Amino acid sequence: MSSTGPDFGPPPPRRGRRRALTAALAALVPAALLGRLVFDAAGGGGGSGSGGAAARPSPSGARPSEPPAGSPAGDGAKPSPTPSAAAGGPLRGRVVVVDPGHNPGNFRRTSEIGRQVDIGTNRKECDTTGTATNAGYAEAEFTLDVARRMRALLEEQGATVTFTQDGDRPWGPCVDERARIGNRARADAAVSLHADGAGAGQRGFHVILPGAVDEGDADTGPIVGPSRRLGERVAGSFARVTGSAPSDYAGGGSGLVTRKDLGGLNLSTVPKVFVECGNMRDSKDAALFTSGAWRQKAAQGISEGIVSFLRG
């Protein structure tokens, strides 16, 4: 903060020195502008606590506007760094696919998301609307908010982050397409974000790992091992950063569950896990989901697990 103003300025120069002063100012202005550009490129233009900052554009075009600060989905959101700020990070050259579960518009397109798609072991509906807290905070809004926070954190480490959807489409994509997005990106790691809809009184998070499947278009054999390592890293860091306990209703207290009925895992050819961040139907877990500070911790915990996995 500057304290200078009209009452603190230097005395006016004498006429004989005007030409020298003009030349000096002409040299200083480009330097000042250059300094400002460097400051902005390094992310200095936005404070770490700015909740409603506009997201910078991705390589494929402008990102959708994020909710303003103060709303459940936008409280405490942070903008992504520019590519120049992350160019030398430890994850430079690594690709992470983040899959925000469901889509806020799915409930308007029930016929589209209800159609059957092939998931390798059988056919299953394209997608669902997801769950919500008793107060109406939707899983799809939660996952999108945490995903955007993760993008900022991972890009700070130099990773290239690809979303399966960013609130930029009216519904979907279907579960098989979500898997193919990660495959096409040749992701080094892929994480699908979710929140559970179990009974009230059941609490905690769990990470879902792909089981061994070799049917139809599904062959998870090559990714079962690395996906387990990814899941173990994510579960450990999520518990440490958020303070949340592993699920008391799934995984036997380990925080890890293996499944063979999820198309997003069955059809993946890259290491991938699902993270169920807690139970939206439990009042205590729901209070966490609607806290911007906790969602930031969730994003940090998952991101740190990904970083740990990628760095070996």
Side-chain angles (χ1 to χ4, degrees):
M1 180 182 295
S2 173
S3 61
T4 59
D7 295 333
F8 296 94
R14 292 190 295 270
R15 292 182 60 87
R17 300 173 60 188
R18 180 173 298 173
R19 181 171 299 174
L21 178 60
T22 300
L25 286 174
L28 285 174
V29 169
L33 290 174
L34 177 61
R36 179 61 189 178
L37 289 173
V38 172
F39 178 73
D40 288 342
S48 60
S50 58
R56 294 187 175 94
S58 64
S60 60
R63 293 174 180 163
S65 298
E66 299 184 13
S71 66
D75 179 25
K78 296 182 178 181
S80 298
T82 60
S84 60
L91 297 188
R92 182 179 182 183
R94 311 305 291 271
V95 177
V96 177
V97 169
V98 180
D99 175 29
H102 311 290
N103 183 313
N106 276 1
F107 75 96
R108 300 187 188 94
R109 309 298 285 268
T110 53
S111 61
E112 287 92 338
I113 68 170
R115 68 182 179 84
Q116 299 286 299
V117 298
D118 187 354
I119 66 167
T121 53
N122 60 293
R123 296 183 69 80
K124 202 170 183 179
E125 57 194 352
C126 159
D127 201 357
T128 69
T129 60
T131 188
T133 66
N134 293 333
Y137 181 40
E139 177 185 2
E141 297 289 350
F142 167 78
T143 61
L144 195 53
D145 179 78
V146 173
R148 287 168 173 166
R149 295 168 188 267
M150 286 178 58
R151 176 167 57 197
L153 293 168
L154 291 167
E155 286 181 348
E156 286 175 359
Q157 298 294 313
T160 297
V161 180
T162 298
F163 277 20
T164 57
Q165 60 93 13
D166 193 4
D168 51 357
R169 51 182 296 158
W171 60 277
C174 297
V175 294
D176 56 339
E177 177 61 17
R178 289 172 186 265
R180 285 194 291 270
I181 290 170
N183 299 344
R184 288 195 298 264
R186 297 183 179 181
D188 297 290
V191 173
S192 187
L193 302 176
H194 290 270
D196 214 352
Q202 297 177 311
R203 296 195 64 192
F205 75 91
H206 61 279
V207 179
I208 303 175
L209 315 174
V213 174
D214 187 6
E215 298 181 42
D217 291 333
D219 180 10
T220 61
I223 69 163
V224 166
S227 295
R228 171 167 283 274
R229 293 193 294 274
L230 171 62
E232 289 172 344
R233 299 293 178 92
V234 168
S237 61
F238 189 89
R240 174 177 51 81
V241 175
T242 65
S244 297
S247 171
D248 58 13
Y249 62 92
S254 68
L256 300 174
V257 175
T258 300
R259 290 176 60 173
K260 300 181 181 181
D261 63 329
L262 299 174
L265 295 180
N266 289 355
L267 300 175
S268 181
T269 60
V270 300
K272 185 173 182 178
V273 298
F274 279 37
V275 182
E276 296 279 3
C277 296
N279 178 18
M280 297 197 99
R281 308 301 289 182
D282 176 79
S283 60
K284 292 181 180 178
D285 274 4
L288 298 177
F289 291 132
T290 53
S291 163
W294 189 86
R295 292 196 303 273
Q296 185 66 28
K297 290 180 180 179
Q300 181 182 342
I302 299 169
S303 298
E304 288 186 5
I306 294 170
V307 172
S308 176
F309 167 74
L310 293 179
R311 300 193 71 182

